[in-house]
Amino acid sequence: MDLVNKVGLLNMNVAGFSLGLLFTAPRPVKRAISVFADLLFLAIAFWSAILVRLDDPIVFSDKQFWLLLFILIPVSLFVNIKMGLYRAVIRYISSKAAASIGVAVLLSTCALIFLAFYLHTPIPRTVPVVFAAFLIILVGGSRLCVRALLSKPAGLIKEPVIIYGAGSSGRQLAQSLIQGNEYSPVAFIDDDKRIEKNSVQGITVFSRNEINNLINKHGIKRILLAMPRENKKRIAKILRRLENLSVEILSIPGSADLVSGKAKIDELNDVSIDDLLGRDSVAPNSELLQANINNKVVMVTGAGGSIGSELCRQIISQRPRKVVLLELSEFALYKINGELQKLASQLNYELIVVPLLGSVQHKNRLLTIMRTFEVETIYHAAAYKHVPVVEHNVIEGVRNNIFGTLFVAEAAIEAQVETFVLISTDKAVRPTNVMGTTKRMAELVLQALADKTKQAKGKTRFCMVRFGNVLGSSGSVVPLFREQIKSGGPITVTHPEIIRYFMTIPEASQLVIQAGAMGKGGDVFVLDMGDPVKIADLAAKMIRLSGMTVVDDANPDGEIAIKYTGLRPGEKLFEELLIGEDITQTDHRRIMSAHETWLPWYELEKILLKLDEACHQFAHEDIRRLLLQAPTGFVPKDGICDLVWTEKTKA
């Protein structure tokens, strides 16, 4: 018995090895094999049809039948070639290829009838029908068998998965997974009652009430979300239903990436936090997007940062005449320059990109750049924005965020730039840290200069756009949480009650551009950030959607814990977007205009001169006092945290 089993196993291995050599052979060899196989199938179908009808082996001695077959074979093979049967990749054979096989068989059958008539070969009228039936079975069936062997390689164990969504995206994903080597779709889940219990591509569609049973039955570890990414509210609703299941949720790329070729249907990703939040973006106003950009020279400071780089991408799509990139980091400048050149090439657009290294603290260079390239629009995104970093480096924060903004704005006035848009932050509202205070001071600088410019009948129009956290920016909690989950945790959250507003970088950048086009001078625009998000809840959702469980009092044996580290220096529990209550809605429903306290230039200038001197003298106590005296609403939560100052005070 053991010998029989060993011989059987050996035969299986030999067969598998032979098939492996066949499947990995070059395309010309595979085509030759297909042609030879079809030649045999034609002969078999022909003689089988004759024998079935005449039931007499004597037909093999009839020369007329042999002559008919010898002419029929090259004619039929020629038809097959013209129908593309040997160009189709059998592994990915489709309904179109199956239709081609049907047409080829029909033409071969017609050729049989035509040749029999002109060669005066007496064949019964039913022979062509039987011949067509045999040929379709042999030619079509052989290809389907090969496709089945290729889609299910021997010995390959694929992970069972459930696809949520039986629409066109779900069907494409299922087809791709069936032909792949990693996942095997065992069920569709769909909310459409009309297709429940139906079979789609051989896979049964179930209602969402059956998910738990399917997970237990098939040992499911992953659910693949195959739905249009545009309907974020519906996706968020589905994710809320799925997050408590002990499975990982993955999603397919967005339709834009699929159409552009940036991604394939089976390139599965972690669930987007944008989808999780369920925030539907508002279609941008094309006139507002183009107003300050189309056919203009546009300059972006901090062009290599997370916001600056996305602004550049959005600007490119509006076809400016020239884009001037100002960036302090050499690598960041190199990266964004290369990306923009590639993007312009894809858009078939001859764009002039001017990549410049430089600091916003060097006014002479700024003025020279603006005059040389005749800059018409500036988006000022250069800033130090990380709260703890600025708390530990106070003077550089003040120099870069306040005086950097002042120098760019003054250079813009002298160079007669038309539009100046400052990227501000919700941390500028009743700030508890130096970073937020410096950004509020930057707003005050622009408000004062806007008033001064109006009085002098200057050309430059200033405005500022204030918004909260953006998903995926440098320092954002989302990529940090993902890394912590992958490494097994714990996830670190500063406080169990901390709350933040979130927006995607592309949406924020589009709204910044549109708000900038609406500014009349000195405007403070506030973006509608939607509902605030509790960071601890966001962390828990990300853990559960990764197929893991949260360690808490109810589940002490969970997989990943959430560790609370305490608020960092200058960090607030709640961020706000407005200082006062005086706010008006603009024509864009996601953009509001705030009317807030400001100082005329002659008053603000006195504070700035004293602040400049205090920075020069490294007088941190004076810097703190001046920031408290300015109308910024600064209420520090901590003492001076500058690392150099604290080290000096120890001595």
Side-chain angles (χ1 to χ4, degrees):
M1 186 66 181
D2 289 342
L3 181 62
V4 171
N5 288 338
K6 288 179 181 178
V7 171
L9 184 60
L10 179 62
N11 289 336
M12 287 176 64
N13 289 336
V14 170
F17 178 72
S18 302
L19 282 173
L21 287 176
L22 178 61
F23 294 154
T24 57
R27 287 293 302 161
V29 174
K30 291 179 180 178
R31 287 195 182 103
I33 293 171
S34 295
V35 170
F36 180 73
D38 286 350
L39 185 152
L40 289 178
F41 293 152
L42 282 163
I44 293 169
F46 177 82
W47 288 118
S48 298
I50 298 292
L51 286 172
V52 165
R53 179 63 182 82
L54 299 179
D55 195 23
D56 189 348
I58 199 172
V59 294
F60 287 111
S61 61
D62 191 324
K63 293 181 180 180
Q64 280 189 294
F65 285 136
W66 283 104
L67 177 63
L68 176 60
L69 177 61
F70 285 147
I71 299 175
L72 177 64
I73 284 175
V75 170
S76 295
L77 291 178
F78 177 77
V79 168
N80 289 358
I81 292 169
K82 286 298 181 182
M83 292 304 300
L85 263 62
Y86 307 120
R87 291 197 304 270
V89 181
I90 295 177
R91 183 192 302 267
Y92 306 116
I93 195 168
S94 62
S95 56
K96 184 178 179 181
S100 297
I101 292 171
V103 173
V105 169
L106 178 62
L107 291 175
S108 294
T109 305
C110 292
L112 173 63
I113 297 169
F114 179 82
L115 290 170
F117 176 77
Y118 279 96
L119 294 174
H120 305 290
T121 304
I123 61 170
R125 284 174 292 182
T126 54
V127 166
V129 177
V130 178
F131 169 77
F134 276 123
L135 197 58
I136 198 94
I137 291 170
L138 291 169
V139 174
S142 64
R143 282 164 170 78
L144 290 175
C145 288
V146 172
R147 174 185 162 181
L149 285 171
L150 288 170
S151 63
K152 295 181 180 180
L156 180 65
I157 300 175
K158 298 163 72 171
E159 180 185 332
V161 293
I162 293 172
I163 298 176
Y164 201 117
S168 59
S169 297
R171 294 194 296 271
Q172 289 178 56
L173 177 60
Q175 185 63 36
S176 180
L177 296 180
I178 288 169
Q179 293 166 354
N181 297 331
E182 192 171 358
Y183 299 115
S184 173
V186 296
F188 279 114
I189 299 293
D190 203 282
D191 297 330
D192 189 348
K193 298 291 184 183
R194 295 172 298 177
I195 61 173
E196 191 177 322
K197 298 301 180 183
N198 288 347
S199 179
V200 176
Q201 295 183 338
I203 304 169
T204 306
V205 181
F206 296 90
S207 73
R208 63 173 181 264
N209 298 327
E210 298 289 329
I211 292 180
N212 282 318
N213 293 336
L214 291 168
I215 289 172
N216 294 330
K217 179 180 177 181
H218 298 284
I220 300 296
K221 294 180 180 177
R222 290 179 176 89
I223 293 178
L224 313 183
L225 196 61
M227 306 191 68
R229 302 289 294 278
E230 289 73 21
N231 192 346
K232 291 184 172 56
K233 287 186 178 178
R234 186 184 173 203
I235 291 176
K237 188 176 179 181
I238 291 170
L239 290 174
R240 282 195 293 273
R241 297 192 200 118
L242 300 179
E243 68 175 87
N244 290 319
L245 302 173
S246 56
V247 294
E248 183 179 6
I249 311 297
L250 299 174
S251 66
I252 62 172
S255 56
D257 289 336
L258 293 173
V259 171
S260 66
K262 291 181 181 178
K264 297 179 181 178
I265 190 74
D266 58 349
E267 290 180 4
L268 302 169
N269 308 309
D270 292 332
V271 171
S272 164
I273 301 303
D274 185 26
D275 292 337
L276 187 60
L277 297 177
R279 176 185 168 88
D280 286 326
S281 59
V282 176
N285 182 321
S286 58
E287 291 183 6
L288 292 175
L289 285 176
Q290 293 180 8
N292 295 328
I293 297 173
N294 185 253
N295 202 33
K296 291 181 180 289
V297 180
V298 183
M299 178 175 174
V300 181
T301 68
S306 51
I307 296 295
S309 60
E310 182 59 34
L311 276 170
C312 291
R313 296 181 196 104
Q314 299 290 342
I315 288 166
I316 291 295
S317 66
Q318 303 308 314
R319 295 185 174 266
R321 190 165 73 254
K322 189 181 297 182
V323 176
V324 179
L325 313 176
L326 185 71
E327 175 56 55
L328 187 62
S329 164
E330 180 190 23
F331 176 72
L333 182 65
Y334 167 79
K335 188 175 179 183
I336 187 61
N337 178 48
E339 184 181 342
L340 294 184
Q341 297 286 5
K342 184 178 179 181
L343 183 58
S345 176
Q346 291 172 350
L347 294 171
N348 195 25
Y349 168 36
E350 292 184 8
L351 172 71
I352 300 173
V353 179
V354 184
L356 298 174
L357 282 170
S359 168
V360 293
Q361 298 182 44
H362 300 153
K363 183 180 174 181
N364 287 342
R365 177 159 172 77
L366 293 168
L367 182 57
T368 304
I369 289 169
M370 293 178 199
R371 283 177 171 166
T372 302
F373 296 103
E374 300 178 334
V375 174
E376 296 167 271
T377 302
I378 294 176
Y379 293 97
H380 180 45
Y384 292 144
K385 63 181 181 179
H386 298 296
V387 171
V389 173
V390 177
E391 287 294 304
H392 294 150
N393 299 272
V394 172
I395 291 176
E396 286 305 309
V398 170
R399 286 286 188 201
N400 197 69
N401 293 358
I402 300 176
F403 291 101
T405 300
L406 172 64
F407 296 152
V408 179
E410 288 181 334
I413 294 170
E414 292 183 46
Q416 295 190 330
V417 172
E418 295 174 2
T419 306
F420 185 107
V421 182
L422 168 69
I423 313 302
S424 192
T425 171
D426 57 355
K427 293 175 178 62
V429 178
R430 283 180 275 275
T432 59
N433 51 68
V434 175
M435 193 283 283
T437 307
T438 59
K439 292 299 284 184
R440 178 58 188 144
M441 283 290 290
E443 292 181 356
L444 289 171
V445 166
L446 289 197
Q447 288 173 304
L449 287 177
D451 178 67
K452 180 183 175 183
T453 306
K454 280 181 183 177
Q455 292 180 15
K457 301 189 183 302
K459 185 178 180 181
T460 307
R461 178 172 54 90
F462 293 97
C463 66
M464 52 227 80
V465 185
R466 187 188 291 164
F467 56 91
N469 297 274
V470 287
L471 294 167
S473 68
S474 59
S476 170
V477 297
V478 174
L480 174 63
F481 287 174
R482 288 202 194 284
E483 288 299 319
Q484 290 175 335
I485 290 171
K486 285 180 182 177
S487 62
I491 282 185
T492 54
V493 178
T494 56
H495 193 281
E497 300 301 322
I498 195 166
I499 287 175
R500 291 290 181 266
Y501 291 94
F502 285 101
M503 180 182 284
T504 65
I505 296 177
E507 183 184 8
S509 300
Q510 284 185 352
L511 290 173
V512 164
I513 293 171
Q514 293 172 87
M518 292 190 288
K520 297 179 176 61
D523 310 76
V524 178
F525 292 108
V526 179
L527 304 187
D528 174 10
M529 300 292 294
D531 297 324
V533 177
K534 197 172 182 180
I535 301 299
D537 291 346
L538 177 62
K541 285 177 182 288
M542 290 183 67
I543 292 170
R544 289 194 288 266
L545 290 172
S546 298
M548 301 180 187
T549 55
V550 181
V551 177
D552 53 24
D553 293 338
N555 185 24
D557 297 323
E559 295 167 283
I560 294 183
I562 298 175
K563 181 182 177 183
Y564 298 105
T565 58
L567 292 174
R568 297 172 296 181
E571 190 171 31
K572 292 165 64 174
L573 277 179
F574 310 98
E575 298 291 2
E576 304 166 273
L577 290 165
L578 296 170
I579 296 173
E581 300 298 326
D582 191 1
I583 184 170
T584 57
Q585 182 66 51
T586 67
D587 293 336
H588 195 296
R589 68 184 180 93
R590 286 280 168 85
I591 303 173
M592 298 165 287
S593 180
H595 307 278
E596 297 177 342
T597 305
W598 60 281
L599 288 178
W601 176 250
Y602 68 88
E603 290 186 35
L604 183 63
E605 186 180 27
K606 295 175 185 176
I607 299 174
L608 293 175
L609 289 171
K610 292 177 182 177
L611 194 58
D612 180 48
E613 180 62 24
C615 288
H616 184 71
Q617 298 296 332
F618 295 97
H620 284 273
E621 295 91 341
D622 292 343
I623 294 171
R624 172 61 66 97
R625 177 177 51 80
L626 289 166
L627 292 178
L628 286 167
Q629 288 175 358
T632 59
F634 182 30
V635 183
K637 293 186 61 180
D638 304 281
I640 298 171
C641 300
D642 185 274
L643 296 178
V644 176
W645 183 85
T646 52
E647 188 66 26
K648 285 178 68 176
T649 54
K650 288 180 184 177

